[in-house]
Amino acid sequence: MNRMKTYDVPHKGLRNALSQLSLLAGKTNYSNQKEVEQLHNLGVDVFKLLTIHAADEDEVTLAELEKHCPGCSEHDMEDHKEIHASQVKLEASLLMLYNASKLNNDVTADGAEFYLSLSEFHGKYLEHTAEEERVTQPLLWKYFTDEELASHRGKIMAKNPPETLMIWFRFVIPAQSHAERVGLFTGFQKMASPEFFDKGMNVIKQVLTEVEYAELQIALCYTWS
Ligand SMILES: [Fe+2]
């Protein structure tokens, strides 16, 4: 039987987000103010999602697991603390780059350091998420039914403001297969107002290929835009 995968949707999105940030940090011309600003703007969104995701796991997924299996959430929570500490440093470096660049400084040397530190962070983050999927996911399957796991996802959705969902869509939706996109957006279509659904479709139109978007439109019988 195929069980519900707790981490699949957010982790695919976060891997996409971090890869985009890494790519952009590598090709940014750090003597160009506009390019540094673009990197900063992407970084702000990516780091925001990482923070939200860690809180979602700590406050919902791991908190629920801890109730059934005391001590089982400890390792991941410790990882989150370590990741957060490295992330805070990266966020500060990015802000420093942005501010210095705005004052017309060439920040090439600091940009190279940011790129390398981001790469180290990226590596650790990938390892952490894979471990959650290999080690924590089986524990979640052991202690919860799929209905209960779905209710955890519902709690996470309810605790975050709707604008956050739009940032998630930008990174999550292109990282899914067509069938997964249809599944996610069928659910979204059921719970969202028509205006909010239009907003979501508009966001993902910018990040999917024309063919991917057209196929999704057909599958959802969606005619707007
Ligand atoms: Fe995590």
Side-chain angles (χ1 to χ4, degrees), residues 206-223:
Q206 323 300 319
V207 289
L208 292 178
T209 66
E210 250 177 68
V211 173
E212 286 168 343
Y213 183 75
E215 283 175 352
L216 185 63
Q217 260 188 319
I218 292 166
L220 297 171
C221 304
Y222 179 72
T223 49

Side-chain angles (χ1 to χ4, degrees), residues 4-65:
M4 175 170 166
K5 290 183 175 175
T6 307
Y7 298 106
D8 213 41
V9 172
H11 283 183
K12 277 188 177 179
L14 293 175
R15 287 174 186 131
N16 174 27
L18 277 167
S19 299
Q20 283 190 34
L21 187 61
S22 175
L23 179 67
L24 191 60
K27 66 180 186 176
T28 292
N29 171 2
Y30 288 92
S31 58
N32 181 307
Q33 203 179 314
K34 248 206 144 24
E35 288 194 24
V36 174
E37 185 174 1
Q38 271 175 355
L39 177 69
H40 170 262
N41 293 348
L42 178 62
V44 166
D45 283 345
V46 172
F47 290 133
K48 185 176 179 182
L49 285 187
L50 293 181
T51 301
I52 290 169
H53 178 63
D56 290 344
E57 287 184 349
D58 284 349
E59 292 162 24
V60 180
T61 317
L62 295 175
E64 292 291 339
L65 179 61

